[in-house]
Structures are given as C-alpha cells and as structure tokens.
Amino acid sequence: MDFLAWTTVIIILIIVTVADTGTYAYLVDVEVPWVQSGAEDSYFGFSVSFHGYSKQALLLVGAPKASASKPVPDVDRPGVLFNCPVTAGLSEPCLEVPVDRAE
C-alpha cells in the first residue's frame, strides 16, 4: 500500500474510534410537551442534566441568576440548582436543591 492508502485507512480508523464512544439522545415529545419554568431573568434552564436512578428519573436544571430561598450573605443572586422529577403525571414542580449553604 502506498502512503495515500495508509493515510486513508488511519483516518477511517480514527473516525470510527471517535464516533463509537457512545450515542446519547433525548426523546422530544412535540405533541404533549412537558414545560417547566423559573423566575424571570433567572436563566432557568441554562444547564440541564438528565439522571435516572432505578425506576426514577429526574432532571437537574441550573438557574445561575436565581435568588436562593435562603439568603446567602453578601450575594445578591447566587444561582440555584433545581431537581425536576420526571413523572407520568408531569405535575410535580421543580424543587430547589440545597448546595453549600455556609452559615
């Protein structure tokens, strides 16, 4: 094999190796959407992470400009992490996750 053929084989192997690291997808239901929202100007949904534990699924949602339910000294809007349970009824609200509340 000449240099061009070896280069092509190596490039294909690299692409296959990188592409086969796992595929992740979200199921988006456009007919019956599940919509959660946060306070205005809180950037609710800035970061989202889906987690599944045994038979329970939850969504961790970041709101980096939200005001925490418990005030943080010398911080106006510390940001909040929310736990949004994913249930069949989709009626449960997102709950604030307590994170490093130094007294």
Side-chain angles (χ1 to χ4, degrees):
M1 291 174 80
D2 63 346
F3 178 74
L4 181 61
W6 275 111
T7 305
T8 305
V9 169
I10 290 173
I11 290 173
I12 290 172
L13 286 174
I14 290 172
I15 290 172
V16 169
T17 303
V18 171
D20 195 32
T21 58
T23 303
Y24 302 96
Y26 288 100
L27 175 60
V28 179
D29 187 348
V30 294
E31 292 181 19
V32 185
W34 176 52
V35 179
Q36 293 284 355
S37 60
E40 190 174 335
D41 295 331
S42 69
Y43 286 24
F44 181 87
F46 187 81
S47 57
V48 177
S49 181
F50 181 79
H51 295 271
Y53 299 103
S54 62
K55 294 183 179 182
Q56 180 184 8
L58 61 93
L59 213 54
L60 292 177
V61 180
K65 288 188 162 190
S67 296
S69 60
K70 288 188 177 179
V72 178
D74 301 321
V75 180
D76 183 34
R77 293 174 10 164
V80 177
L81 176 65
F82 291 97
N83 171 2
C84 302
V86 180
T87 59
L90 303 176
S91 61
E92 294 182 48
C94 295
L95 304 172
E96 185 176 336
V97 177
V99 179
D100 192 21
R101 300 247 169 100
E103 298 289 323

